[in-house]
Amino acid sequence: MDDDGAHLAGEWGLIGNGVGTVNLKWSSRLLIPVAKNWAVIFLFLLIAVFSFTGRGFFSLTNFQNIIHLSTIFLLLSAAETYVIITGGIDLSVGFVMGLSSVLSAKIMQLLHAAALPQPMSILIGGMVGIAISFIPGLISGTLIARLNVPPFIATLGMWGVTNGITLHLCQGFPISFLPSKLVELGNGYLLYVLPGRAVSFLHKPYGLQDTQIRELIRIFPNSLVFSLVVLFILWHVLKHSRFGQHTYAIGGSMDASVRAGINVKKHLIAIYTLSSFLAGLAGVFNVFQTGIGNFTPFSSMYELFAIAGVVIGGASLMGGKGSIVGSCIGAVMIRLLENGLSISGVEPFYRFIAVGLILIMAVVIDQMFPELF
Amino acid sequence: MNRNSDKRKSLLVFLGRRWALIFLVIESLVFSFTTEAFFSLKGIQIVLFYGTTIFLLGTAETFVIITGGIDLSVGFVMGFASIVSAKIVVMLTNMGVPPAISILLGMLITWMIGLVPGYVNGSLVARLNVPPFIATFSMLGITHGTSELLIRGVPAKNLPYLANAIGNGYFIYLLPGKAISFFNKPVIQRGELLLEIIPNMVVIAFVFILIFAFLLKRSKFGQHIYAIGGSTDAALRAGINVKAHLIKVYMISSFFATLSGTVYMLQYVTGKADAGAPFLLDAIVAVVIGGASLYGGIGTIGGTILGCLILSVLETGLRMMGVPTFDKYIAVGVILILAVLIDQFFPELIHREE
């Protein structure tokens, strides 16, 4: 234990000059891991509190629900993570998401109306929606890297442009009359269990009575599989690939990375394109989930909540710091808070206040113990 | 040849510095030709009337951006103020206070309350070193939640009629050749032409904007704001109390947001939580078009007003042409990027050495 303490003190330069013999007080030995992992601890605290205050909060169904509803936020937060680590910011993700969602839905709607087979129209619509999402990122990346436009402004410009195009496409109404298979896929589960009678994969057991539907246990939503796969790839790339290490290097010091021979401009363009692509992925997934193509309303502020998730997850807006796992915890925390508050019967308006307070707390903890992080 | 190129360059410099003004003139000319209503007394006043919100929020944002920060909360502080003022006015009127006094009191009390979000923002930024982006975004969430709680999803209503009369009234009424009256609408016969000049709310907005523009440009306080934006370290060494100063700047920003909330209450005779949400982008864009730098130290109220006018003319003109308002966002985004690109490519042109 003493060894551990000394090791910690040395690593974070807490006491003295990191000489091995320094002994940490037990209080700071306790404080360090708590402050370092406050987000996780806070998440568990929230779960514990809501389990008491809300009936039905602590259940498989509800947890799967939270995860299911977190999908787009997880993707957007992951997108912001990459951008924020480089020291930039991407304000356009929410509206790029809307653009992809509306465009892919529009194409699905047209193809569906033209009596194309459902899988075909879904596939084509989804592909186009994802393909279009590269463009805004490519443009804002080029503006930022090659023309030295501040990230805030470049992506704010894209925010306006993508929002305008989206609303132009859908004329301010959600796009409906889409293939019915869409929702089955997006809201489906990997495993359905009817206790004692049947187990089936990917689709509900056939010939169910109405009463039996209530007993049906649904396990592992498709959306979880989807987000796990995407997030695992992103985590791996950020943590273990050269691309990821260069991302951290650029955030740490742009000059140093230029001198280290990293092609910073190309890298930044790639980062903003990736962020935009992830937003597009979230948009297309949103179509699967809701069955309609939805534009992004102003007051939903997806981009700001995604950034909030990333900051709660321990990233710094100055760049150089952040992780996919942290951002995921942050994103899930916001969703969990929302879900728990509404199950506990608290009015939904409090969630805005709560998110604001948590965000301030995250940064203040970060500011108070800079040596810890 | 050398002189020739010098001449050419000086012309370019002249144009480059005034590109926003030139853009505004061209834009106005285009709308004057494409729509019948734009170039008229009424049309120009509509531009100003719809522009009040952007003028006020833009001024708020200018102060913060000059210090190198950003205030994301202005839109929802504005909504919050519109609700609080509407609530207070309705409450006082129900208690039997005359409408004029209750409106005045309501606005004054709201302006006081409106300083609180700014004080919190400023303290977080200055004393706790929270990045402005995060601090003001948190405040956005808190004011949004609080205002939704205050009205529970239903816009505030039952405001006295006087609010409408003030908010949509004009400064001068002119019956050509017959009468002129201030503030009060004269009784007119059918078919008579009544000229209405300068909306009341524009007068209120510009009184405050001019006071603070003067403060920014001519006072020590204003010069210190530029100093902080230029370099916080240098400002500290020059003996400026940077922390107290920053708090004041965020309070000014929050005050202007509150002001525009009360103006909204009078103009639209209601209070809505998301009253200012769509204007956050517009306000920041106007400041950037006006030549301010997000890195701090540069920016003027005059430039911001020019930026606001460009956006307001664009919005009004497109509406009069019958173009769907969605397309406005595309235009705003493109103008924003253009503004920064011009700034990037010709830095010598824009920033004169003083």
Side-chain angles (χ1 to χ4, degrees), chain A residues 281-301:
Chain A
L281 212 56
V284 172
F285 182 77
N286 197 21
V287 179
F288 278 82
Q289 216 168 19
T290 57
I292 51 174
N294 231 337
F295 62 94
T296 310
F298 272 115
S299 45
S300 56
M301 295 180 292

Side-chain angles (χ1 to χ4, degrees), chain A residues 154-165:
Chain A
T155 55
L156 194 61
M158 272 301 129
W159 189 106
V161 173
T162 47
N163 186 26
I165 295 175

Side-chain angles (χ1 to χ4, degrees), chain A residues 148 168 298 304 347 352 367, chain B residues 129 137 141 152 327 329 344:
Chain A
N148 285 326
H168 195 99
F298 272 115
L304 293 181
E347 281 173 280
F352 297 113
Q367 294 287 343
Chain B
N129 284 325
F137 173 53
R152 316 229 161 217
D327 293 354
Y329 300 115
Q344 292 288 345

